[in-house]
Amino acid sequence: MIELGVNIDHVATLREARKGAVPSVLEAAAICEGAGAHQITVHLRQDRRHIQDHDIYELAEALNVRMNFEMAAVDEIIAIAHDIVPATVCLVPENREEITTEGGLDVAGQQAWLTEVVAGMHARNIRVSMFIDPEIDQIEASAATGADCVELHTGAYANATGDGIARELARLTESAARLADTPMGFHGGHGLTVQNLAPIVALPGLREVNIGHDIIARAVFIGLEEAIKEILVALSPV
Ligand code: PXP
């Protein structure tokens, strides 16, 4: 079965709208676990727009499933990752003005630095995932850093219309084939929904998806547990 990481950043987005205590990120994580999520994904952004430092420490204490800690490869956040020791860090690009993570990490353009970051994580038994666009040179650069897995950015596929959908799926399929020749695990994420998941689930070698916005948006109407169950059904082998 393809594993599901639920990104609960947007629970914190709602909480931060009032700078209060609700909705609780910890309660959300517990519901995700109860509904069958395999991991909890959180992004501690440098601008702290949703998840806060205390969330990360509280989740690290409370979680029964893996934490996938999304982060920019910058010293401040690296120090926090080294302190909490999540199961996995997923290195992502971060721009201050962006609405969400736009585009994958340019691993090829900063290979030496990212190789150092990977070694620092491995020294603490933390797995490293690279969030990259489905491009062969980025897959090869990720492998060269010693990363354990890559998360292919599915946002272009999710946003595509008409012929663009087949074009984006072809890029993902070609990347999946290249990944199969590396020791790295294959994950996917961004913009995935119950409706657009099937062709992604069919990609050879896919082990994990991370889904946030659609699950939290659906949860407003049908509840978090049901929203997760819908996705788990869509991930199940037919
Ligand atoms: N994976 C990564 C690396 C991300 O940065 C995000 C967005 O925070 C997601 C998955 C989830 O994307 P979405 O919220 O569109 O499902």
Side-chain angles (χ1 to χ4, degrees):
M1 158 134 203
I2 296 164
E3 297 201 327
L4 172 64
V6 179
N7 182 318
I8 57 173
D9 293 349
H10 292 303
V11 175
T13 301
L14 195 52
R15 182 194 62 194
E16 293 306 304
R18 289 291 168 93
K19 302 278 176 210
V22 294
S24 156
V25 164
L26 279 184
E27 200 176 331
I31 293 170
C32 294
E33 286 183 352
H38 301 92
Q39 74 179 4
I40 299 298
T41 296
V42 275
H43 184 176
L44 183 67
R45 292 181 59 97
Q46 293 167 86
D47 62 16
R48 306 297 199 275
R49 70 168 69 152
H50 37 54
I51 294 290
Q52 306 294 311
D53 296 48
H54 68 85
D55 292 319
I56 297 293
Y57 283 90
E58 288 163 13
L59 284 167
E61 280 282 306
L63 284 185
N64 297 305
V65 294
R66 302 187 304 260
M67 181 193 291
N68 176 34
F69 183 55
E70 292 180 357
M71 54 174 279
V74 297
D75 289 335
E76 180 210 0
I77 310 290
I78 290 170
I80 294 172
H82 287 180
D83 196 30
I84 57 165
V85 191
T88 312
V89 294
C90 180
L91 301 183
V92 302
E94 225 176 74
N95 301 307
R96 295 223 167 242
E97 302 304 322
E98 69 191 352
I99 293 172
T100 180
T101 312
E102 289 162 4
L105 186 65
D106 180 14
V107 181
Q110 44 183 335
Q111 198 174 305
W113 164 237
L114 293 177
T115 301
E116 239 181 85
V117 175
V118 170
M121 296 296 171
H122 283 173
R124 293 162 178 83
N125 283 325
I126 303 169
R127 278 191 332 158
V128 183
S129 176
M130 299 290 184
F131 184 54
I132 56 170
D133 287 325
E135 289 168 6
I136 302 300
D137 62 333
Q138 296 296 346
I139 292 169
E140 286 169 355
S142 297
T145 65
D148 304 277
C149 33
V150 302
E151 180 169 325
L152 293 184
H153 196 314
T154 50
Y157 157 72
N159 291 332
T161 54
D163 294 348
I165 298 174
R167 263 199 308 278
E168 291 303 329
L169 276 175
R171 287 176 73 204
L172 288 161
T173 305
E174 193 194 344
S175 296
R178 181 67 190 87
L179 264 169
D181 287 334
T182 75
M184 297 186 296
F186 169 22
H187 306 167
H190 215 282
L192 296 177
T193 69
V194 176
Q195 285 76 26
N196 70 16
L197 202 48
I200 299 299
V201 169
L203 290 169
L206 183 72
R207 289 189 201 159
E208 174 187 306
V209 291
N210 287 290
I211 305 182
H213 188 263
D214 186 63
I215 288 178
I216 304 305
R218 289 281 293 153
V220 171
F221 299 120
I222 63 169
L224 186 51
E225 190 175 344
E226 283 308 310
I228 291 166
K229 287 186 174 161
E230 275 186 350
I231 295 281
L232 286 171
V233 168
L235 287 177
S236 301
V238 266

